[in-house]
Amino acid sequence: MTYSSLRAARLAGCAVVVSAFLLTSCTGSGSGADSAANSPSPAPSRPRPATEPSEKKLTEQARAALAAVQGGAMVEAGVERVTDGIHTEPGLSKGKTYRLNLVCAGSGSAQLEFVPASAGAGATVPCDESVVQQRIAGDRLVRIDVDGSKGATGVIAWQIDALLFEHRAS
């Protein structure tokens, strides 16, 4: 073998070794800096900031909206998650008139229904912090149900006030 053919054989051998090394380091699943750079990064250890307000903040907002419209003597009140809804049978006195105030803070909407249906008008309650008001006559046992629409989130604050006096047309 001549010197130039020996040199060519060595270069060819080195090229094969280098190619094999590069091929395994790029496609292998071994550990090291190269494989770490190609693998997905693990989830962060601390929670990411929420893009939606917290339940506590939504509750504060809903209560503040209710406080702005409060009138009469409070009979019953509460705050519920939209996903849980409101299901109550308040103790209303016969012959008195009441006002139900509802505020939903979050996203989506909820549906208000009375049982029996003649006790009050059903309504959609948007989760945009607007106040929905309904009159209720205390002439019979009333059940109030408020259920969130599909995908709705947030909280619903509600309050039933006994109206102390009403203006009646003569």
Side-chain angles (χ1 to χ4, degrees):
M1 217 180 196
T2 65
Y3 177 73
S4 58
S5 59
L6 182 62
R7 186 172 178 193
R10 280 187 186 169
L11 286 175
C14 285
V16 168
V17 169
V18 168
S19 295
F21 174 76
L22 289 175
L23 183 62
T24 58
S25 68
C26 289
T27 61
S29 62
S31 62
D34 289 336
S35 64
N38 292 330
S39 66
S41 61
S45 60
R46 58 188 155 110
R48 294 182 181 173
T51 57
E52 295 182 15
S54 69
E55 188 173 300
K56 182 179 177 182
K57 176 118 175 126
L58 292 172
T59 298
E60 291 169 2
Q61 292 170 340
R63 284 185 174 161
L66 270 184
V69 297
Q70 186 175 2
M74 185 186 66
V75 174
E76 193 173 314
V79 177
E80 304 292 338
R81 289 183 185 99
V82 173
T83 54
D84 294 338
I86 299 168
H87 308 285
T88 185
E89 292 180 2
L92 305 179
S93 299
K94 186 172 178 122
K96 288 196 173 189
T97 303
Y98 300 86
R99 181 174 51 224
L100 170 64
N101 297 308
L102 296 161
V103 175
C104 183
S107 64
S109 64
Q111 299 300 314
L112 164 66
E113 292 181 352
F114 292 93
V115 177
S118 60
T124 297
V125 182
C127 292
D128 62 0
E129 298 178 43
S130 59
V131 179
V132 173
Q133 297 181 325
Q134 295 290 329
R135 285 189 179 265
I136 307 169
D139 292 337
R140 65 192 90 186
L141 180 64
V142 175
R143 179 171 173 83
I144 300 169
D145 291 312
V146 182
D147 292 303
S149 299
K150 186 176 181 179
T153 61
V155 298
I156 303 172
W158 58 281
Q159 183 169 323
I160 300 172
D161 294 328
L163 300 178
L164 301 176
F165 52 89
E166 296 180 44
H167 174 71
R168 294 187 182 187
S170 39

